Amino acid sequence: MTAVVARIRAIPSWQVTLGFALLALGFLIAAQLAAEGPRVRYTTQERSPLVETALGLQAQQKQLQQQILDFRGQIKTLEDEGQGTTAQQRELNASLQQARIEAGLIPLTGTGIVFRLADSTQPVPANGNPADYSITARDIRTVVAELWLAGAEAIAVNGERVVATTGVLDIGGTILVNSAYLAPPYQVSAIGPTDMLDQLGLSQGWIDFIRTRRGRFGVDVSFAEPTTVDIPAFAGSLNLRESRAVPPSPAPSP
C-alpha cells in the first residue's frame, strides 16, 4: 500500500490535471451522443405533420386563387352585360331625344335662315282687295311649307314653334299661330342645311309666291342668314284626346 501511494505521489501534477480534464471531456462527449438520438427522432416526428399542414394550406391557397379568378370572370361578364344595357339605354334615350326634337319639345340652335314678311306699302287701287296687300295666314303657311320642302329641320313664327298640330289662321287683323295672336311684321325662322335658300330658288311654288306677292302686290319679303338661328321649344299643351290599339298586320299568304 505504501508502495502504491509512493508511486502516485511520484506522478507529476500536470499529468493528474490532464487526466481529470480528459475524463471530464469524455463524459461530455458521451452525454452529447446520448442526447443526439432523441433530438433527431423528435425532429423527424414533428416534421411530418408540419409538412401535411403546409400542403393543406397550399391547397387552400390554390382554391382561393381559383375562386378569385372565377369572381373576376363573373365581374367581367357583368361588366359586359352592363355595357350592353348601357348601350341599349343610350339607344333608347337617343330615340326619345329624337322624338322630342321632332315634336318640337326641345329648343334648337343651328345654321339657318330668317324671313321677314310685312304688309305692302303700295296704295290699294279703288277696285283692289286690301287683303291682297297684307300678309295673311296663307302667306305664312306657304313660306312654312316651302321651308319644309327645302330641308328645314325646325321652324318658328314670331317665336311660336311650328309642330304637327300647329294651325295658322286669320283672326281679324292678326294671325293665330298655335294659341298666340301675332301682329305684323312676321318673322319666320328656320334651321337646316346651308343650301336652304338655294333649294327655295329651285322650287316653282316659291318662285310663284315671290312673283305674285312681292312682284304684283308689293308685300315685303326679305331674308337674312345669321351665324346661328335659335328656335324655341313648343310652349303649347300636348293633350292625348284619343288612343286605340293598332291591330297587327295580317300575315302574307303563302
Side-chain angles (χ1 to χ4, degrees):
M1 183 67 179
T2 305
V4 175
V5 173
R7 186 177 294 180
I8 292 174
R9 289 179 178 177
I11 298 173
S13 60
W14 63 270
Q15 291 183 355
V16 175
T17 303
L18 179 59
F20 280 111
L22 292 174
L23 181 62
L25 180 61
F27 278 113
L28 290 175
I29 293 174
Q32 184 176 2
L33 292 176
E36 184 68 20
R39 186 180 68 177
V40 172
R41 288 194 300 271
Y42 173 79
T43 304
T44 304
Q45 293 173 357
E46 292 295 329
R47 182 177 181 182
S48 179
L50 289 177
V51 171
E52 293 178 359
T53 302
L55 292 176
L57 292 175
Q58 186 176 1
Q60 292 179 6
Q61 183 181 12
K62 289 182 178 180
Q63 292 178 357
L64 293 175
Q65 289 176 349
Q66 186 60 43
Q67 290 180 4
I68 292 174
L69 294 177
D70 294 340
F71 286 142
R72 287 179 178 176
Q74 295 176 11
I75 292 173
K76 183 64 169 58
T77 301
L78 293 175
E79 288 178 348
D80 294 340
E81 293 177 355
Q83 290 177 359
T85 303
T86 302
Q88 293 176 357
Q89 290 178 350
R90 290 178 180 175
E91 183 178 354
L92 291 175
N93 290 334
S95 300
L96 180 60
Q97 184 76 353
Q98 184 62 33
R100 289 175 176 172
I101 292 175
E102 293 176 356
L105 303 180
I106 296 177
L108 299 176
T109 299
T111 60
I113 190 170
V114 178
F115 283 97
R116 181 182 181 275
L117 288 77
D119 296 340
S120 174
T121 58
Q122 296 180 6
V124 180
N127 59 347
N129 184 358
D132 292 337
Y133 296 83
S134 302
I135 297 297
T136 64
R138 182 178 180 180
D139 297 326
I140 301 297
R141 290 195 297 267
T142 298
V143 174
V144 169
E146 291 295 332
L147 284 171
W148 287 131
L149 293 175
E153 300 173 2
I155 300 175
V157 180
N158 284 22
E160 285 293 323
R161 181 74 170 265
V162 178
V163 296
T165 59
T166 296
V168 182
L169 304 172
D170 288 312
I171 303 294
T174 64
I175 295 178
L176 181 68
V177 178
N178 294 327
S179 58
Y181 292 93
L182 307 180
Y186 303 100
Q187 181 173 292
V188 182
S189 305
I191 62 174
T194 57
D195 64 341
M196 276 195 300
L197 188 60
D198 295 334
Q199 295 299 320
L200 286 173
L202 298 176
S203 171
Q204 187 61 44
W206 180 257
I207 294 173
D208 293 341
F209 169 76
I210 295 297
R211 182 180 298 162
T212 302
R213 301 301 288 143
R214 187 171 65 180
R216 181 176 177 182
F217 298 103
V219 297
D220 182 17
V221 181
S222 56
F223 71 93
E225 292 182 291
T227 304
T228 57
V229 176
D230 297 328
I231 304 296
F234 176 67
S237 59
L238 297 175
N239 296 324
L240 182 63
R241 298 182 179 179
E242 181 181 1
S243 64
R244 61 185 179 86
V246 178
S249 301
S253 58

